[in-house]
Amino acid sequence: MTDIYSVSAPSNIAFLKYWGKKDPLLQWPANDSLSMTLNQLASRTTAYRHDTEDHRFQFQGEVLPRDHGSFHKVYKHLDYLSEICGFQEKLSLSSTNSFPTGAGIASSASGLAALTIAALACWTESGSFSELSEKGFSRESLAHFARMGSGSAGRSLFGGFVQWQAGTHADKQKIIGLYDANHWPLHDTVALFSHSEKSKSSTAAHADAWSSILFEPRVAGAPERMNAMLKAVHSQSIATLGPLLETEALEMHAVMMTTRPPQFYLTTEAVAFIAAFRRARQDGLFEAYFTIDAGPNVHIIHEASETSALTTWTAEHYPTLQLLQDRVGEGPRLERGLN
Ligand code: PMV
């Protein structure tokens, strides 16, 4: 029998988006970002030591080799962690997602966060975050390792509301848990317009951001938007946060659509939904606001009081639309068991 380490790491939804990098090798983002960690939408990854020549990675029950499409990122990240932290043992990892992969629900955020925690817990034989910390791996250091796998993954190391600060140098970045989940019980209802893989990975698309004429003004305006969002989150004001969320998401998509080559993550269905959703809000049916990541799925951010009106409206107007209900969550969990 060997020890097996199980991690459940949530996805997160960015309020102020990380889009574009100052330095791709050092994963230095062009601007600060702010997110809410989710609860149900998560990746679960187990790890145990495996006496073989290479790591073994299984996803949703299927063993995926090193050269397998978008999963080469997993092996690359394991190689990075092993080299930078000095661990040689090979691992057997198995991962599942509670939501469709590559559909704009930041599966790379939860996936790379879970992978980082599981690998380091296994290598250091730590069954909890406090044991990891005693062995030199604080939560913030884990967040920095995770962001090297996928930028947004760093924010999934903390629960509640999380800020990733770009800092003045790549090595001055900070990832901070600002408020825990109890601060403001916000909900995220995801309108699922696509289950399929993204047309272009966000890693490739980040690199194109600088070619948009809108990108530099966006980066210049980010600090002011961040301040306004921080105030809204601090004072738990959905009426202030909501319009900022929508402007921010549309602005990121405007950048994407004006890069060379242009990138369209939004679909006509998603755009029509957003227009109808805004009209329904103007008609006073609910108070809820949307945001969108690098995919066509629409994240509706709202307070619990709006859930019923929102689901009634979607059931009436979009009877076949699948909704994923989630809310702010407390961050990743780690356990040790026997294999
Ligand atoms: O972590 P990446 O490289 O998949 O980039 C994520 C980018 C967005 O999800 C669109 C925004 C964000 O801040 O999460």
Side-chain angles (χ1 to χ4, degrees), residues 10-11 36-42 98-99 105 186-190 300 302 307 323-329:
S11 183
M36 176 172 96
T37 297
L38 298 175
N39 190 37
Q40 302 288 339
L41 301 178
S98 68
F99 54 88
I105 313 178
L186 276 185
H187 286 235
D188 178 5
T189 298
V190 189
I300 305 169
H302 59 96
T307 308
L323 295 180
L324 301 175
Q325 306 277 358
D326 208 352
R327 47 166 287 151
V328 60

Side-chain angles (χ1 to χ4, degrees), residues 7 46 50 67 83 113 135-136 214 315 317:
V7 176
T46 58
H50 191 56
D67 52 5
E83 194 183 325
K135 289 173 182 153
L214 303 178
H317 297 272

